[in-house]
Amino acid sequence: MSKLFLTLHVLAAIVAVGPVTVAASMFPKALREALAAPDDPRPVTTLRTLHRISRVYGGLGIAVVAFGFATASSMDVLGSPWLITSIGLTFLAALILLLLVLPRQETALAAVAGPESDLAQEPGGAVAVRLDARAGARLAMVTGVFNVLWATVTVLMIVRPGSTTGA
């Protein structure tokens, strides 16, 4: 059963986490393009797509955690330091995605979508969101931290330092 759970865990990580890291990484560049060409709708469409990918696949990432716990339980390694560290880093990455990356993407998207967008309007019809010059850089920074955390978790899952499970 361990092999099945491990296979599902790895597939879920590839299918769910991979698209989030790529889409979130592409968002700041698309934001710069949207800000540079405010009359061009293509970058805004790209931003909407990248945000949707980040949001939906971020939600699907819960399968990675579920299959990960099933794998660890079946391999009897739930108390291993490398796994506990991985769980902590995964939790931190999820918090960064939920509390920093996705809200900043939404704010940026609302700012570039224009006053005709539902995203950018308050009830009185005024534009509710404005970006400062460094918003894209800050978004790129928190996205980079998110991606480094996932890369670290991946290395820990492969190397499993101190493991006696035959890595």
Side-chain angles (χ1 to χ4, degrees):
M1 200 56 132
S2 294
K3 290 182 181 182
L4 173 64
F5 287 143
L6 181 59
T7 301
L8 293 173
H9 174 62
V10 171
L11 286 173
I14 291 168
V15 170
V17 178
V20 174
T21 58
V22 172
S25 295
M26 292 173 65
F27 194 95
K29 181 178 185 283
L31 177 59
R32 286 190 301 274
E33 292 171 0
L35 291 171
D39 294 330
D40 186 357
R42 291 175 298 179
V44 175
T45 302
T46 301
L47 287 173
R48 288 181 195 279
T49 302
L50 293 172
H51 177 63
R52 186 176 308 117
I53 291 168
S54 298
R55 191 180 66 244
V56 170
Y57 283 88
L60 292 175
I62 196 71
V64 178
V65 175
F67 289 128
F69 273 110
T71 302
S73 180
S74 70
M75 294 175 67
D76 199 30
V77 294
L78 280 173
S80 298
W82 62 270
L83 184 63
I84 293 168
T85 302
S86 294
I87 292 168
L89 293 175
T90 298
F91 180 72
L92 184 57
L95 285 177
I96 288 173
L97 180 66
L98 291 172
L99 300 178
L100 296 175
V101 175
L102 293 176
R104 289 178 186 200
Q105 284 183 354
E106 289 169 7
T107 299
L109 187 54
V112 298
E116 70 280 352
S117 169
D118 291 340
L119 289 169
Q121 289 192 1
E122 290 180 342
V127 175
V129 179
R130 300 252 189 272
L131 288 182
D132 68 2
R134 296 175 294 184
R138 286 191 300 268
L139 178 57
M141 180 191 68
V142 295
T143 300
V145 171
F146 170 77
N147 290 341
V148 166
L149 287 170
W150 275 118
T152 304
V153 168
T154 302
V155 169
L156 285 171
M157 290 290 151
I158 294 168
V159 174
R160 301 185 302 183
S163 173
T164 58
T165 58

